[in-house]
Amino acid sequence: MDNSPGKHAHIDRWQTNRQKAFKIVPEDGKTFRYLGKEFLVFPNTFWPYTDSQPLVRSLRVPTGGSVLDVGTGSGVIAVFACYAGGARVLAVDINPAALKSAQHNAAAHGFGETMEVRYSCLFDGIGNEQFDVITANLPFRNKEAHDVVARSQWDTDFRTNTQFFQQVGKYLKPDGRIYFAHSNFGAVKEVRRLAKENGYSMRLLARASADETKEFYGFLIQRMRPAPHV
């Protein structure tokens, strides 16, 4: 990863401009083509983008399995989890605009009964349910977020990512899998440390480049297996 100040300034400008663009979408929404399918996004919602594609392309769901999509945004990962065979898909977010977008897209793709959209700050609204698969495209960077739109890209003091790894085990079935998105301009080392400290292994499944400076990753995260007794 290039940690040069120039690169960070470039990413800052790019992300700030994207947040402005998220806010000026027409009230009736804007349609995006993503991996061959159309999604409608309402104002103040994170757009479907290359960042989640390595995760989506690698996603495997057991037939009839259950999926929790954390920080669903416009719902693209959750919708593709339905296409992948999920019989129960719960998509959660803290952003009311994102929930509106995700709800629309679930119905538009014919998954209104399969995919539930619910307000939740990470796992606060999940209850005691456990899932075969948990997906997450959390904000990549440890940077102060001043509003709910900025929180889709920046994680103040890396609290969201830290809490995710500390709590996710309660909601994951014993043999469950986590599919996690991240980026070369994010806190990759910190994410790997959080995974290991909380008892998870982390393996790169796929990557995609948006341009010469932005590369995105899809990771598979699973519970570490205890060493066998000899």
Side-chain angles (χ1 to χ4, degrees), residues 13-140:
R13 288 193 298 272
W14 174 68
Q15 291 190 312
T16 300
N17 287 335
R18 289 196 81 206
Q19 291 167 26
K20 292 176 181 177
F22 296 160
K23 294 177 179 180
I24 61 172
V25 169
E27 288 300 317
D28 58 352
K30 181 176 181 178
T31 300
F32 290 85
R33 191 98 179 146
Y34 176 91
L35 295 180
K37 301 185 185 300
E38 290 189 348
F39 292 86
L40 185 71
V41 175
F42 292 107
N44 299 314
T45 303
F46 187 89
W47 295 348
Y49 188 64
T50 313
D51 59 327
S52 57
Q53 289 186 12
L55 185 163
V56 171
R57 292 183 186 277
S58 304
L59 181 62
R60 300 293 181 269
V61 180
T63 302
S66 57
V67 181
L68 171 63
D69 183 34
V70 179
T72 196
S74 59
V76 293
I77 297 175
V79 167
F80 274 94
C82 295
Y83 279 114
R88 156 74 169 147
V89 178
L90 175 58
V92 300
D93 208 294
I94 60 168
N95 181 352
L99 298 175
K100 179 181 177 182
S101 299
Q103 188 73 61
H104 173 93
N105 290 318
H109 287 266
F111 297 121
E113 296 298 320
T114 303
M115 178 175 156
E116 179 187 353
V117 179
R118 185 188 301 175
Y119 176 88
S120 181
C121 181
L122 282 178
F123 305 106
D124 288 352
I126 306 304
N128 295 318
E129 190 172 358
Q130 290 189 317
F131 299 83
D132 296 294
V133 172
I134 295 178
T135 59
N137 185 13
L138 303 182
F140 301 148

